[in-house]
Amino acid sequence: PCFLLQPIVENAIRHGIAQTRGPGRVEISAKREDGSLRIRVRDNGPGLVAITRPDDGLREGLGLSNTRARLEQLYGAAHRFELENAPGGGLLVTLEIPAAKGTPS
């Protein structure tokens, strides 16, 4: 679906690499596996600490909350949307949705 990546990449820039002193990096990868499309967006910023509230809850802005709601509406339980600290630093966002039927693997 259109505009699923835009808010994720925007957040990687705004809350991730804009917070670093050195060179910033955003990596996007996609892989089709077992009937699903897995998309990952990783940055080299501060990780979850940049979007965590003092009560340890995530501070999701409009972009992420709209993305989460849209995925729920389109795919229900058949999707995955996770944010986690990336190995070696930064934030890793994983988005997994059913691959379109009838398209080559």
Side-chain angles (χ1 to χ4, degrees):
C2 297
F3 300 112
L4 283 181
L5 281 179
Q6 186 273 334
I8 297 169
V9 172
E10 182 178 330
N11 278 353
I13 294 168
R14 178 179 289 161
H15 301 291
I17 63 173
Q19 306 289 325
T20 63
R21 291 182 183 253
R25 186 178 70 248
V26 176
E27 300 170 359
I28 302 171
S29 65
K31 182 177 183 180
R32 189 176 172 153
E33 188 174 280
D34 298 326
S36 292
L37 174 63
R38 181 180 304 131
I39 301 169
R40 290 189 167 159
V41 178
R42 180 180 178 169
D43 66 59
N44 66 336
L48 284 174
V49 69
I51 58 170
T52 302
R53 295 187 309 230
D55 64 358
D56 290 331
L58 286 182
R59 185 182 72 224
E60 285 192 0
L62 188 59
L64 287 182
S65 62
N66 283 346
T67 299
R68 192 176 296 282
R70 191 160 178 225
L71 288 167
E72 182 64 34
Q73 180 185 26
L74 289 170
Y75 303 108
H79 81 282
R80 184 169 68 121
F81 184 58
E82 295 178 350
L83 288 75
E84 61 187 320
N85 286 316
L91 185 70
L92 175 63
V93 177
T94 301
L95 168 64
E96 195 168 311
I97 58 175
K101 294 180 181 176
T103 56
S105 296

